Amino acid sequence: FLFDTKIKIGNTEYTRITQPLISRPGLAEHLGIGGCLAAGMNVTIHTTDEIPRSSEVEVLGRIKGIDGSSPTDWESYGKFYIDKRDTTIHGQVGLTCMDKMLLLDDEFHSGNWPLSQQDCAELVADYLGIELDPRTSINPNYTIQYPFNYTMRESMGHIAADNGGNWIITPDDKLYLVPLIRTDTAADIIAVLNSFTLGIPVQIRGVQMINAINQEFDAGTVGEGGVVQSLVNPEASQAIANNLYTMLGGKTYKPFECQKIIMDPAIEVGDIVTIKGSTLQIYDMDITMGGSYRVDLHCPDAAEMDSEYPYKSAFSKLQGRLNSVNSVGARNFVRHSNVLDFETDGFVWQMTYNGHKALVNGHGLEVMNHGN
């Protein structure tokens, strides 16, 4: 088949465009869960129009026969928002766009807490102006007590981790929690035009969770080979760890890489497909649209993973974040600080530097100069 593409911005449709390139990730990390994953799109439009800043850019496509006959109706393949533009060549506008997932880097502005995780997800979907995908499955017994100091993205990440998946926004603009491992009926890939490589399958053997007060909860055979799902979640519990292990324990992840494949454009991240006799789950998709519909699929091989997959404590993660800040002050703060006590006072952090001491906990900040 052939594939037509056009771009819609506001009420204007553009057909003089380069092939849109859409990247749709489906894994938070290597075999990871708990992510809110933003899709991206790049396209160049041949126009002299003044395109408004942060405009919504919708990618539309339709299938037709090799001879151009029997075109289908135009369908949406994603709504994106301008992040960057390149106007260095007169008469061309290069656009780099992202989907709405990046809007979640904000705190909650409403909510009657505590909320069930289902209600919290619906609250976030409303904030984004989209619907929750009906395929999303969230344990009805799980709650979010209060998202203190967490962005919507972080709280949704906790929900995703508890329920064994990652959040994406689908091509038809719905918020979908994609399960890490599915066992649905497979759809066939029509053809592979370039390369297809199968990696070494790995089995999920255990779950490790750590909560806000540094309590650890294990399920399965942690530390005995295979892959361990290791998560930091402020409301982690043994029950959640056990349920997560029931979902994922013993399941096999099948890494593979496939380039330039032809497939049904309705297939999306999280779907099960059959490629050359192998039944596989799609995680990451790079889509080239226009003239034809070609897709590269990438699911990380075990060699790309940390073989032990150790958890990081909440403090270690915070240290990592501060170390990533390009600031001498931030680096010094981490270098001379330590956690004093999680159990009695909650989060307690002491920093000593050049005779100055700062003590931080849930009650406030105390600063002392040379012990005074």
Side-chain angles (χ1 to χ4, degrees), residues 198-310:
L198 280 172
I200 300 173
V202 292
Q203 189 178 61
I204 299 173
R205 299 292 301 276
V207 170
Q208 279 184 325
M209 303 189 80
I210 186 168
N211 66 12
I213 59 172
N214 214 29
Q215 293 175 316
E216 183 181 322
F217 307 98
D218 297 340
T221 54
V222 174
E224 295 184 17
V227 174
V228 175
Q229 283 290 344
S230 303
L231 308 162
V232 176
N233 190 327
E235 298 182 39
S237 67
Q238 189 61 57
I240 293 176
N242 292 343
N243 290 340
L244 192 56
Y245 178 71
T246 298
M247 294 172 59
L248 301 178
K251 300 293 195 308
T252 299
Y253 169 79
K254 300 176 182 178
F256 71 98
E257 185 164 354
C258 192
Q259 296 180 342
K260 299 292 187 295
I261 66 173
I262 302 174
M263 68 182 194
D264 184 346
I267 295 174
E268 60 186 27
V269 167
D271 285 352
I272 307 297
V273 295
T274 298
I275 306 177
K276 293 187 174 181
S278 296
T279 300
L280 305 161
Q281 182 169 339
I282 293 177
Y283 292 98
D284 298 337
M285 301 176 65
D286 293 320
I287 306 164
T288 302
M289 305 173 64
S292 61
Y293 185 89
R294 300 287 184 269
V295 184
D296 293 344
L297 304 178
H298 177 64
C299 301
D301 192 276
E304 300 176 58
M305 302 178 193
D306 183 343
S307 59
E308 296 183 6
Y309 220 82

Side-chain angles (χ1 to χ4, degrees), residues 89-250:
I89 300 178
H90 179 71
Q92 295 185 14
V93 182
L95 300 178
T96 299
C97 308
M98 305 296 291
D99 70 16
K100 282 185 175 180
M101 195 68 80
L102 296 189
L103 296 179
L104 298 186
D105 288 322
D106 193 8
E107 295 181 354
F108 287 93
H109 300 292
S110 63
N112 185 19
W113 309 97
L115 284 176
S116 70
Q117 290 191 357
Q118 177 73 31
D119 288 344
C120 184
E122 291 177 355
L123 181 67
V124 169
D126 287 343
Y127 174 82
L128 294 176
I130 59 180
E131 297 178 5
L132 198 62
D133 192 293
R135 296 170 294 175
T136 293
S137 179
I138 297 174
N139 190 309
N141 298 316
Y142 293 170
T143 61
I144 298 290
Q145 290 299 311
Y146 188 81
F148 180 72
N149 278 347
Y150 289 108
T151 64
M152 285 183 280
R153 177 193 286 267
E154 289 171 321
S155 292
M156 288 293 279
H158 299 153
I159 294 173
D162 287 349
N163 293 276
N166 295 288
W167 291 105
I168 66 167
I169 295 176
T170 63
D172 59 349
D173 218 26
K174 290 182 171 60
L175 187 61
Y176 177 32
L177 179 56
V178 181
L180 179 65
I181 304 290
R182 288 177 58 178
T183 56
D184 303 30
T185 302
D188 286 332
I189 296 298
I190 298 174
V192 178
L193 300 182
N194 197 337
S195 64
F196 172 53
T197 305
L198 280 172
I200 300 173
V202 292
Q203 189 178 61
I204 299 173
R205 299 292 301 276
V207 170
Q208 279 184 325
M209 303 189 80
I210 186 168
N211 66 12
I213 59 172
N214 214 29
Q215 293 175 316
E216 183 181 322
F217 307 98
D218 297 340
T221 54
V222 174
E224 295 184 17
V227 174
V228 175
Q229 283 290 344
S230 303
L231 308 162
V232 176
N233 190 327
E235 298 182 39
S237 67
Q238 189 61 57
I240 293 176
N242 292 343
N243 290 340
L244 192 56
Y245 178 71
T246 298
M247 294 172 59
L248 301 178

